[in-house]
Amino acid sequence: MAIKTKENLRNFCIVAHIDHGKSTLADRLMEYTGQVAERDMEDQLLDSMDLEKERGITIKLTPVRMAYKAKDGNEYIFNLIDTPGHVDFTYEVSRSLAACEGAILIVDATQGIEAQTLANCYLALDNNLEIVPVINKIDLASARPDETAQEIEDVIGLDGSDAPRVSAKNGINIDQVLEKIVELVPPPKGDDDAPLKALIFDSYYDNFKGVICFVRIVDGTVSAGMKIKTFMGEKQFDVTEVGTFNPGLIPKKTLSAGEVGYIAASIKSIEDIAVGDTITTTTNPAPQPLPGYKKVQPVVFSGIYPLDGSKFNDLKEALLKLKLNDASLTFEPDNSAALGFGFRCGFLGLLHMEIIQERIEREFDIDIITTAPSVSYHVFKTDGEMLIVDNPSKFPDVSYIDYAEEPVITANIFTPPEYVGAIMELCQEKRGTFTDMTYLDSKRVRLNYTLPLNEIIFDFFDGLKSRTRGYASFDYELSGYVKSNLVKLDMLLNGDLCDALSLIVHKDKAYPRGRALAERLKDVIPRQLFEIPIQAAVGGKVIARETVKAMRKDVLAKCYGGDITRKKKLLEKQKEGKKKMRQLGSVEIPSEAFMSILKIDSST
Amino acid sequence: MSGIYVHIPFCKSKCTYCDFASYPKEIGKADLYFACLYKEIKSRAESLKGYVFDTVYFGGGTPSFVHEKYIIGALRQIKNFYTLSDDCEITLEVNPGTLSAEKVKAYKKIGVNRFSVGLQSADDGMLKRLNRIHNRQDFLLATDLLKGENLSVDVMIGLENQTENDVKATIDLAEQGGAKHISCYALKPEEGTPMFGKYLNGDLPSEDETADLYDFARKYLEEKGYHRYEVSNFAKDGFKSRHNLNYWNRGEYVGFGVAASSFIGERRFTNTEKIDEYTACILRGRVAEIFTENIEGDEREFEFIMLNLRKDEGFTFSEFTKRFNVDFTEKYKEKIKRVQKYIDVTSEGIKIKPEYIYVQNTIIIYFMD
């Protein structure tokens, strides 16, 4: 099945709005090309992490290689590179797009083009990819394929009339998609004899082989035994194995220009491989790296602490391992008066944060406490010094602050016109500034707002979805910093400041947030032997107060017939529950308390 | 001190809160059950040679529901094979509505000298909702039959729509019936009981409301001369339950019958809850234990602490040293410090402050490993 020429190679990805059937179509393509016997198929093969399956989203990029015998009689090799489907992962999407020549654009025939589809489609166009539009879900009664085809033409400017109309779910017209790939996606260019240039678009850590780099060979060839280096890193490595994806790793002798595959080179340290970087050889290095490398900038920060302080090193190990697969995760050691030693971590967004949090708990079995997420602020002190503050506990006392700036984003919100009012109201509550509104057609409006990032990271997306019954969608990009009246909101438990609960908030939001947070904490902190006042304070002034009343009884049950064992078991259980709590001074706090801010009413 | 417990797993009808081993529909198995019970009593005799038992307790189910001949037979068997102390406390649980003059006479004749009467509430409507078989009048008839006897009465707190007046009326009725001892339990809705449904529906008083009722009950009982000596037990002077105190003192006891627990020679074991399984085992000459554990090392000390702190008087350091050859204040210095707000420590001993007796689990946990 070795390819004879690059003419028969097709590298492509699939872009789609979440739920529009990306994974299902990928599964069908693999099934159709005989990549996986149908009976062996676990649904949605590409989404390999449990988490992804549970949430129906793709986080990791998992490429797969397929052989397809086309109607022209020739055999083609397809490399399908999957892309993450969430706004948090825009950069990851861009890296995988850079490894392709084409992109299948799936449009749901019942919903039409949505904001995220558009955003990813523009990304694909920016990368000069050939777009293969596919209209999916034609089996549904509410499908309107003709209108969808028209929309593709109107909104994106592609010819939608020729787009395959498929049902990925029922396997209808999948062959048309494969033929379109052959027809529309250009074969890769590239010179086997030029110095090696391989784009790293993803990586993961394998316990035996070290870091596995997912690469697109742009120029040159690579095979085991070669000495390689990256442009951003300093170290050299001996290639131990190269190969392609099936979707498991299939070793090959050589990867040549145009191909998508993996390189293993006993790379032990994650710091040595940056996704987006270029691999070349040490003997005959390419003069320049491939364009497009960006150091990924996290936008949301929170503290992660082991519940059990002695697990600090385990947590460090877990973060290092996760970072191996996730260039966008950042972390550095941190120390909280309340929570002890832990890490200040940076994420691409809240979903990314939740994923990391869940993976630490599930895959590494470490109970952790995550503090409320924060964005990165600029604080200008009266002495002229500027501090970058992403940790509320590092926010200086007001008397030292000249002024502060917070990051803002420009938001693109796409919505049917009837929800414009509701969205404007939401943006208003979130301190947004209206910038523009455009009618794309009679059924679609684009709203542009400038919004503070710290209002977006909590529950803006949920609020948007609930106020528009799911019809609106949005994407955003950071647009800079603006002056803002920021204060630090502190929480006191039983009179003691708990630094891990502090928040940086806009002054206008301090009172409602403080009150809501105190109420929420009152609900999540269990009653203890004594009364616990919960206070919210700004600059030493208490602005809200709640009380967790003292526990009244815990033993009145009858202990019958001398069954002491049962009573002991009940105590054991109570003790286990206690272990899940964090002792702050005299108060015991469940770990979810630290995320309370995420659970308070969105209107605050 | 050591005691004997005998479980009678039969009753007329199941109360809505009951999750004990009691089977109203199985009364047809009584002959077989008691035959096995007698056999089990005999079978343990050899291994318990040398023990002098100070208490015997018939619990259930409703021991007074079954024919008195079974109780007579069981007690006779115990007396035949075990040594009981001269002043042995022999308690029988009885329910109003199941007693007769003949029964009482027979119980007394064989040596029962203490009766524990399940009253629960003085309100007929409430009793009916609990699926109790008796009413207020039945209770008075029963206590009339037991006049002059050493009586204990069970009272429940935390019932649906219960008020302080209801609690007061119940305690008044218990006193009127001649109670020398009152067990005052807060209802605990157990999963699998009809009561649990009520709990899930939110029909029961809240934790705070129950605690308020309990506080009221405790004060009212004190006014009437019933002094608390353990979390849920109140007695007039000289009428503490020796059988129950033996549990809290971590004394030894042997239990016979289904679901009965034993603690002998640092081994805890519990019989199966199922009548058929129990009889099958015993008939084949085997034990009916479904659970056994040897208590070792510090766990012995923890059990002692956990049990003794249920009592208002706590325990003395000399008793602790006598049992374990350990200086309590030295070994548990750090732990004592952590809960010092909630306990009273004197040169003699340690006890939980009266106002914290009801939240003692949370305090006791600090003494676990």
Side-chain angles (χ1 to χ4, degrees):
Chain A
M1 274 236 255
I3 47 162
K4 294 171 195 86
T5 66
K6 299 191 203 323
E7 275 307 306
N8 291 14
L9 198 51
R10 298 289 183 273
N11 298 321
F12 63 96
C13 58
I14 304 178
V15 293
H17 183 78
I18 198 161
D19 299 336
H20 280 193
K22 186 174 63 171
S23 298
T24 318
L25 180 64
D27 289 350
R28 284 303 158 262
L29 296 180
M30 286 158 68
E31 197 183 301
Y32 199 94
T33 54
Q35 202 57 33
V36 188
E38 196 173 347
R39 63 177 189 287
D40 292 338
M41 263 188 69
E42 206 181 329
D43 266 349
Q44 310 202 337
L45 260 175
L46 287 183
D47 291 355
S48 53
M49 287 200 299
D50 288 350
L51 260 174
E52 295 180 346
K53 274 185 201 155
E54 278 168 29
R55 291 167 178 243
I57 50 169
T58 309
I59 304 151
K60 290 299 299 170
L61 312 169
T62 319
V64 65
R65 183 181 170 100
M66 297 173 260
Y68 173 62
K69 189 154 179 154
K71 299 211 168 106
D72 64 11
N74 295 323
E75 190 162 88
Y76 292 84
I77 295 294
F78 289 174
N79 283 310
L80 165 59
I81 296 170
D82 203 9
T83 55
H86 189 274
V87 66
D88 280 5
F89 301 103
T90 312
Y91 179 66
E92 295 212 2
V93 175
S94 80
R95 286 173 298 161
S96 53
L97 295 183
C100 304
E101 278 77 34
I104 296 177
L105 172 73
I106 303 181
V107 184
D108 186 324
T110 66
Q111 305 207 7
I113 294 170
E114 302 225 24
Q116 201 165 44
T117 328
L118 259 189
N120 285 343
C121 180
Y122 287 135
L123 257 175
L125 288 170
D126 285 349
N127 280 276
N128 294 320
L129 301 195
E130 207 52 56
I131 308 287
V132 182
V134 170
I135 297 167
N136 191 22
K137 302 199 186 176
I138 57 158
D139 56 308
L140 296 181
S142 55
R144 30 182 193 93
D146 292 335
E147 285 175 51
T148 307
Q150 187 60 45
E151 208 176 34
I152 290 171
E153 219 162 304
D154 295 345
V155 181
I156 312 174
L158 290 168
D159 180 10
S161 63
D162 208 20
R165 299 178 178 197
V166 310
S167 163
K169 192 169 137 226
N170 298 336
I172 300 166
N173 293 340
I174 302 302
D175 56 328
Q176 291 182 19
V177 179
L178 293 160
E179 284 297 318
K180 279 284 173 198
I181 294 167
V182 172
E183 182 192 329
L184 295 178
V185 178
K189 299 193 190 86
D191 182 356
D192 285 353
D193 299 324
L196 176 67
K197 272 188 190 173
L199 169 71
I200 306 168
F201 62 88
D202 199 5
S203 68
Y204 77 91
Y205 187 81
D206 180 285
N207 282 334
F208 302 104
K209 297 175 180 171
V211 179
I212 305 284
C213 306
F214 291 14
V215 293
R216 159 68 193 270
I217 312 294
V218 177
D219 276 322
T221 62
V222 62
S223 44
M226 286 170 69
K227 274 196 189 312
I228 55 164
K229 62 166 191 154
T230 65
F231 278 85
M232 298 298 151
E234 322 235 294
K235 293 186 187 149
Q236 302 184 357
F237 305 98
D238 294 321
V239 176
T240 54
E241 184 180 313
V242 302
T244 55
F245 307 100
N246 194 24
L249 302 183
I250 307 295
K252 273 190 74 182
K253 238 182 106 192
T254 304
L255 287 178
S256 48
E259 284 196 277
V260 169
Y262 68 89
I263 297 175
S266 300
I267 303 168
K268 294 292 173 218
S269 168
I270 59 159
E271 308 296 338
D272 296 327
I273 290 294
V275 177
D277 200 354
T278 305
I279 292 175
T280 190
T281 59
T282 57
T283 45
N284 180 22
Q288 286 138 10
L290 296 159
Y293 171 79
K294 254 199 319 195
K295 191 167 161 44
V296 183
Q297 296 293 350
V299 293
V300 173
F301 300 85
S302 76
I304 295 186
Y305 299 85
L307 187 64
D308 170 358
S310 68
K311 293 273 173 74
F312 175 82
N313 280 323
D314 296 353
L315 176 59
K316 184 178 174 186
E317 208 51 40
L319 286 167
L320 282 167
K321 286 205 170 129
L322 287 171
K323 177 155 177 74
L324 207 52
N325 305 330
D326 188 345
S328 44
L329 170 69
T330 65
F331 60 94
E332 57 185 37
D334 190 21
N335 186 3
S336 151
L339 301 176
F341 290 100
F343 294 92
R344 192 74 192 166
C345 303
F347 309 97
L348 299 177
L350 269 203
L351 178 73
H352 187 212
M353 181 179 96
E354 273 176 54
I355 288 164
I356 296 293
Q357 208 177 313
E358 284 196 45
R359 291 189 68 188
I360 292 171
E361 297 204 316
R362 285 197 209 182
E363 294 169 29
F364 299 93
D365 198 23
I366 304 170
D367 288 326
I368 53 170
I369 293 173
T370 312
T371 63
S374 170
V375 300
S376 185
Y377 299 94
H378 293 169
V379 179
F380 294 86
K381 288 167 62 181
T382 44
D383 63 6
E385 188 192 356
M386 186 194 83
L387 299 175
I388 295 177
V389 178
D390 63 40
N391 184 345
S393 67
K394 305 267 163 66
F395 198 75
D397 189 275
V398 210
S399 57
Y400 296 108
I401 300 177
D402 182 8
Y403 65 97
E405 291 180 343
E406 65 175 326
V408 290
I409 57 145
T410 51
N412 280 311
I413 302 167
F414 293 82
T415 178
E418 58 265 38
Y419 300 113
V420 165
I423 293 171
M424 290 175 75
E425 201 179 314
L426 173 68
C427 291
Q428 197 97 3
E429 283 167 15
K430 300 293 182 189
R431 300 190 285 125
T433 311
F434 176 90
T435 47
D436 197 10
M437 179 162 86
T438 319
Y439 272 78
L440 298 175
D441 57 43
S442 62
K443 288 175 193 143
R444 199 168 301 274
V445 179
R446 184 177 65 208
L447 276 165
N448 291 110
Y449 264 88
T450 302
L451 284 149
L453 181 63
N454 83 352
E455 299 285 348
I456 297 300
I457 57 168
F458 291 120
D459 54 3
F460 181 81
F461 194 61
D462 291 344
L464 184 68
K465 285 284 167 195
S466 68
R467 288 182 200 211
T468 63
R469 307 199 5 255
Y471 277 104
S473 54
F474 100 120
D475 58 76
Y476 67 86
E477 61 183 46
L478 284 170
S479 58
Y481 277 77
V482 299
K483 242 186 193 182
S484 178
N485 197 351
L486 299 169
V487 295
K488 186 165 79 138
L489 174 65
D490 286 320
M491 300 305 295
L492 288 81
L493 299 178
N494 206 22
D496 296 327
L497 172 72
C498 178
D499 63 354
L501 287 169
S502 296
L503 294 173
I504 297 169
V505 296
H506 190 270
K507 198 173 174 215
D508 295 348
K509 294 284 176 119
Y511 178 69
R513 282 257 163 90
R515 198 181 43 195
L517 191 52
E519 278 167 12
R520 177 76 195 160
L521 286 170
K522 181 189 161 207
D523 290 340
V524 297
I525 296 175
R527 296 171 71 168
Q528 293 167 38
L529 290 170
F530 46 89
E531 189 176 286
I532 305 164
I534 299 169
Q535 292 157 298
V538 170
K541 189 179 159 230
V542 174
I543 57 170
R545 182 192 158 115
E546 291 286 338
T547 306
V548 178
K549 287 193 285 177
M551 182 196 296
R552 296 287 302 280
K553 70 174 182 81
D554 68 355
V555 287
L556 299 182
K558 195 165 178 173
C559 189
Y560 198 71
D563 192 352
I564 307 303
T565 307
R566 184 172 166 200
K567 180 159 173 53
K568 273 197 296 184
K569 278 188 186 142
L570 289 173
L571 283 173
E572 289 284 353
K573 224 171 121 188
Q574 195 178 340
K575 197 182 128 204
E576 281 308 305
K578 194 179 158 80
K579 271 194 189 158
K580 297 262 172 203
M581 310 267 243
R582 189 78 186 201
Q583 182 96 25
L584 293 188
S586 49
V587 183
E588 278 164 359
I589 301 184
S591 40
E592 68 259 33
F594 297 96
M595 293 297 271
S596 293
I597 188 66
L598 295 181
K599 304 276 159 56
I600 65 179
D601 185 2
S602 67
S603 58
T604 55
Chain B
M1 276 281 289
S2 44
I4 292 174
Y5 176 80
V6 182
H7 191 75
I8 313 297
F10 304 107
C11 57
K12 193 163 171 191
S13 69
K14 196 97 171 153
C15 304
T16 58
Y17 53 84
C18 172
D19 81 327
F20 296 139
S22 187
Y23 309 98
K25 292 184 187 134
E26 305 276 34
I27 187 65
K29 294 176 181 164
D31 278 340
L32 175 62
Y33 179 76
F34 281 97
C36 290
L37 183 72
Y38 302 163
K39 191 168 175 210
E40 190 192 20
I41 290 170
K42 185 182 164 196
S43 72
R44 297 257 185 221
E46 188 60 30
S47 64
L48 294 171
K49 233 184 200 167
Y51 279 79
V52 177
F53 292 95
D54 307 285
T55 66
V56 178
Y57 193 102
F58 288 89
T62 307
S64 59
F65 170 62
V66 298
H67 195 281
E68 58 269 29
K69 69 184 178 187
Y70 296 124
I71 305 298
I72 295 168
L75 196 48
R76 191 168 285 149
Q77 190 78 341
I78 288 167
K79 287 181 168 173
N80 282 343
F81 288 98
Y82 298 86
T83 311
L84 303 187
S85 63
D86 291 342
D87 60 346
C88 186
E89 174 193 281
I90 303 176
T91 307
L92 183 81
E93 285 184 351
V94 300
N95 270 343
T98 61
L99 275 186
S100 65
E102 291 72 43
K103 276 185 177 173
V104 173
K105 204 173 141 194
Y107 298 145
K108 280 157 69 175
K109 195 174 164 206
I110 187 73
V112 175
N113 54 24
R114 187 171 179 273
F115 295 87
S116 172
V117 189
L119 168 61
Q120 317 311 355
S121 168
D123 182 287
D124 285 350
M126 219 172 266
L127 289 170
K128 199 159 182 184
R129 282 199 296 278
L130 294 173
N131 203 27
R132 299 288 296 182
I133 55 168
H134 68 271
N135 58 26
R136 184 189 166 90
Q137 195 55 37
D138 294 327
F139 174 78
L140 288 171
L141 290 171
T143 50
D144 207 38
L145 293 172
L146 296 167
K147 209 174 197 102
E149 292 301 314
N150 178 358
L151 274 199
S152 174
V153 172
D154 282 356
V155 168
M156 265 194 171
I157 302 291
L159 301 172
E160 195 177 355
N161 299 326
Q162 199 174 31
T163 63
E164 284 187 0
N165 272 337
D166 293 326
V167 172
K168 183 168 177 286
T170 306
I171 292 169
D172 286 342
L173 186 63
E175 188 192 32
Q176 192 190 334
K180 302 279 194 287
H181 179 282
I182 290 179
S183 290
C184 188
Y185 297 111
L187 172 73
K188 180 165 181 268
E190 299 283 357
E191 240 177 296
T193 63
M195 188 60 83
F196 199 68
K198 288 207 173 244
Y199 162 70
L200 293 177
N201 282 335
D203 293 340
L204 299 178
S206 71
E207 184 190 315
D208 282 357
E209 286 162 346
T210 304
D212 285 342
L213 286 174
Y214 206 91
D215 276 350
F216 171 80
R218 184 172 58 84
K219 282 181 198 136
Y220 192 61
L221 283 163
E222 187 64 37
E223 267 174 45
K224 301 229 159 223
Y226 297 99
H227 306 299
R228 182 174 67 179
Y229 66 97
E230 190 264 347
V231 178
S232 311
N233 286 295
F234 302 77
K236 298 225 159 149
D237 291 338
F239 287 96
K240 292 177 184 175
S241 158
R242 283 153 61 196
H243 184 79
N244 280 331
L245 271 177
N246 185 48
Y247 293 147
W248 316 134
N249 286 331
R250 199 170 183 264
E252 290 178 294
Y253 50 91
V254 60
F256 300 116
V258 295
S261 292
S262 304
F263 177 51
I264 297 288
E266 294 302 341
R267 187 170 83 92
R268 295 197 179 278
F269 50 98
T270 298
N271 281 347
T272 173
E273 289 201 351
K274 296 177 188 135
I275 292 182
D276 292 341
E277 205 168 85
Y278 172 80
T279 54
C281 289
I282 300 297
L283 286 175
R284 284 173 181 77
R286 300 204 213 109
V287 294
E289 296 168 19
I290 46 152
F291 169 84
T292 174
E293 105 183 287
N294 281 307
I295 313 299
E296 284 164 28
D298 284 356
E299 179 137 17
R300 295 178 184 176
E301 294 173 28
F302 172 70
E303 282 191 0
F304 181 89
I305 296 166
M306 151 186 131
L307 294 168
N308 274 276
L309 289 182
R310 289 184 72 92
K311 298 183 297 175
D312 274 36
E313 63 181 35
F315 60 89
T316 62
F317 300 136
S318 58
E319 179 66 21
F320 195 88
T321 307
K322 196 174 106 194
R323 297 266 191 123
F324 303 109
N325 201 22
V326 164
D327 183 342
F328 179 79
T329 46
E330 185 54 37
K331 179 164 178 180
Y332 291 90
K333 196 163 39 182
E334 284 305 312
K335 289 170 179 172
I336 293 169
K337 218 164 123 190
R338 287 166 71 186
V339 295
Q340 59 187 355
K341 267 173 73 180
Y342 313 110
I343 53 175
D344 279 329
V345 181
T346 64
S347 57
E348 309 280 293
I350 177 172
K351 64 179 186 186
I352 293 182
K353 287 182 179 168
E355 62 269 36
Y356 289 111
I357 283 271
Y358 295 130
V359 289
Q360 62 174 259
N361 278 355
T362 306
I363 297 165
I364 286 168
I365 282 175
Y366 284 95
F367 288 97
M368 291 180 107
D369 49 56

